[in-house]
Amino acid sequence: MTSSATVPASSRQLMTELQSVGLRLQDPTAGAASRRGGAGPSDHKAVTIDGVTIMVPVHTSTAWHSPFVAQAPDGTGRSALMRGTIPIASISFPKAPRFYALQTLEGIPYSHIATLHGADVLATTVLQTCIRYESRKKTCKFCSIGQSLAAGRTVARKTPEQLAEVARAAVLLDGVRHMVLTTGTPPTPDRGAAILCESAFAIRAAVDLPIQAQCEPPDDDRWFERMKAAGIDTLGMHLEVVTPAVRERIMPGKASVPLSRYMESFKAAVAVFGRGQVSTYILAGLGDTAEAILSISRELIELGVYPFVVPFVPISGTPLEDHPAPSPAFMQSILQPLGAMLNAAGMRSSDIKAGCGKCGACSSLATYEREAALAADGATS
Ligand code: SF4
């Protein structure tokens, strides 16, 4: 979430609702282009409410039936957000970044190499192919990593030079403040760590930009030292779902890496990157109970890992496109106690140097963190 401002309870509630039920757009061309396909969550558009930028589903079947409609922007770029026929808020859409107008000497548009996420994050999937995606039986059912490649919106393997060129332009032209390097999982035991190291090294040689790398746990914990030495500031290793039976059902390939392996890797990674600088993405709404997510989050926080819980977005074209998105009440039943847990542990999204936990645009978790901090301040004053 791209602001440290506290937001009123009504806006926090609205953000949680919008991220669950999505938004219909009267003018789909308003602001920066929405994101379709790719690794991880997708089919979103960046929306700014009360100075906070969040990603809101706009291309999902849930969003097509959403009670929320954004009217076409007025002359100042602001849109009325309607619930049915009642205007409830004024919102805006971050503009398309200037670096999107550029291309490499070979003619590859910069936007095919990396994209703007939220308001100030540059994100890319370095390797757009994945061993988990090769077999229908093993694929993670929520993921659309192959879609943007098939649609010609990206390139399969971004070279370190291309990434450095685009990162430099995005910093200079658009004031991008941190970068996310994710990857499909290659068939090598390092799980993509080597590619992420090469990429980060080239980017950091070109521009001063904090970087988060994201991959499955590598076979050898020494990769964490190498990643840090290459200029990677924070690491994401994403559990996605947490209950063994749900892992088997939703991501049969990735479930072959047991939770215990993730926990060992988290411990080793925190020793290198520091407490709160290792995070994990958890998609709520795929079958894990709120208690299961909160229980593992407690363990993760104890290890020094930031559990970034986001509402599952059913992406068109994936096996889960008709799976319902989680209700706002379910999300609140997780995010409120999780915000309090994080606050009690002194772990703040704003202290993360780079990456999804810092950006926060895919979840309203950070607003619950700040609510918990305010409540705790009130109790002690
Ligand atoms: S939270 Fe991560 S995936 Fe979501 S918009 Fe921010 S950088 Fe992108």
Side-chain angles (χ1 to χ4, degrees):
M1 193 160 314
T2 321
S3 168
S4 57
T6 46
V7 296
S10 56
S11 298
R12 190 164 56 240
Q13 171 81 22
L14 175 60
M15 289 174 195
T16 308
E17 281 190 61
L18 276 170
Q19 289 194 313
S20 288
V21 302
L23 173 66
R24 287 182 285 141
L25 302 169
Q26 228 177 38
D27 175 6
T29 63
S34 47
R35 184 168 120 76
R36 299 194 76 146
S42 186
D43 290 11
H44 284 111
K45 190 171 183 76
V47 175
T48 305
I49 305 171
D50 271 338
V52 175
T53 300
I54 58 169
M55 300 303 280
V56 175
V58 292
H59 294 302
T60 61
S61 56
T62 322
W64 297 329
H65 300 104
S66 171
F68 296 108
V69 182
Q71 291 201 328
D74 61 18
T76 67
R78 299 204 68 80
S79 294
L81 176 65
M82 317 289 286
R83 188 197 294 263
T85 53
I86 303 166
I88 54 165
S90 170
I91 61 174
S92 60
F93 302 100
K95 288 201 188 90
R98 286 189 274 185
F99 79 86
Y100 277 15
L102 303 179
Q103 58 177 32
T104 64
L105 282 179
E106 314 91 73
I108 303 171
Y110 278 12
S111 61
H112 288 198
I113 295 169
T115 53
L116 184 75
H117 280 203
D120 56 8
V121 187
L122 185 66
T124 185
T125 304
V126 180
L127 182 67
Q128 201 82 27
T129 52
C130 181
I131 43 165
R132 310 282 182 222
Y133 204 78
E134 280 163 9
S135 144
R136 271 179 175 269
K137 287 200 189 119
K138 292 198 175 154
T139 185
C140 301
K141 294 186 180 151
F142 49 80
C143 184
S144 61
I145 191 168
Q147 282 185 24
S148 35
L149 185 58
R153 288 191 298 266
T154 188
V155 283
R157 167 80 204 271
K158 286 91 178 177
T159 66
E161 296 72 29
Q162 288 170 342
L163 292 170
E165 184 178 331
V166 176
R168 193 161 181 277
V171 169
L172 294 177
L173 297 176
D174 297 289
V176 154
R177 284 153 45 113
H178 54 118
M179 182 165 189
V180 172
L181 297 178
T182 193
T183 181
T185 301
T188 48
D190 66 284
R191 300 295 190 226
I195 291 171
L196 294 167
C197 285
E198 284 169 33
S199 308
F201 193 79
I203 295 163
R204 293 305 288 251
V207 66
D208 186 17
L209 184 64
I211 294 174
Q212 179 181 56
Q214 304 179 344
C215 60
E216 290 189 29
D219 61 329
D220 185 338
D221 291 344
R222 278 176 299 183
W223 276 111
F224 300 136
E225 292 286 359
R226 293 176 198 141
M227 288 169 129
K228 182 116 203 267
I232 291 167
D233 298 280
T234 72
L235 180 68
M237 291 187 289
H238 297 167
L239 288 170
E240 330 279 8
V241 286
V242 302
T243 311
V246 186
R247 297 182 82 230
E248 286 287 346
R249 178 161 50 82
I250 299 290
M251 38 179 220
K254 198 164 151 170
S256 63
V257 182
L259 280 174
S260 55
R261 175 69 197 126
Y262 272 86
M263 290 307 196
E264 286 163 14
S265 293
F266 284 137
K267 205 168 165 191
V270 170
V272 174
F273 292 97
R275 189 169 178 276
Q277 305 300 335
V278 176
S279 60
T280 191
Y281 223 97
I282 296 176
L283 297 167
L286 287 172
D288 288 320
T289 61
E291 293 69 33
I293 292 177
L294 288 168
S295 159
I296 201 152
S297 296
R298 197 168 291 113
E299 278 181 58
L300 290 163
I301 292 169
E302 266 169 34
L303 283 178
V305 176
Y306 185 90
F308 185 49
V309 177
V310 310
F312 159 67
V313 175
I315 302 173
S316 314
T318 65
L320 293 179
E321 66 176 3
D322 294 323
H323 190 287
S327 70
F330 180 71
M331 288 312 300
Q332 200 171 358
S333 77
I334 299 171
L335 298 180
Q336 198 147 35
L338 181 56
M341 258 188 236
L342 286 164
N343 181 58
M347 212 182 259
R348 279 181 292 264
S349 56
S350 53
D351 292 338
I352 301 175
K353 294 177 197 158
C356 289
K358 182 177 189 68
C359 163
C362 285
S363 171
S364 47
L365 175 58
T367 63
Y368 289 90
E369 253 177 56
R370 291 196 283 274
E371 181 204 15
L374 281 178
D377 277 357
T380 52
S381 58

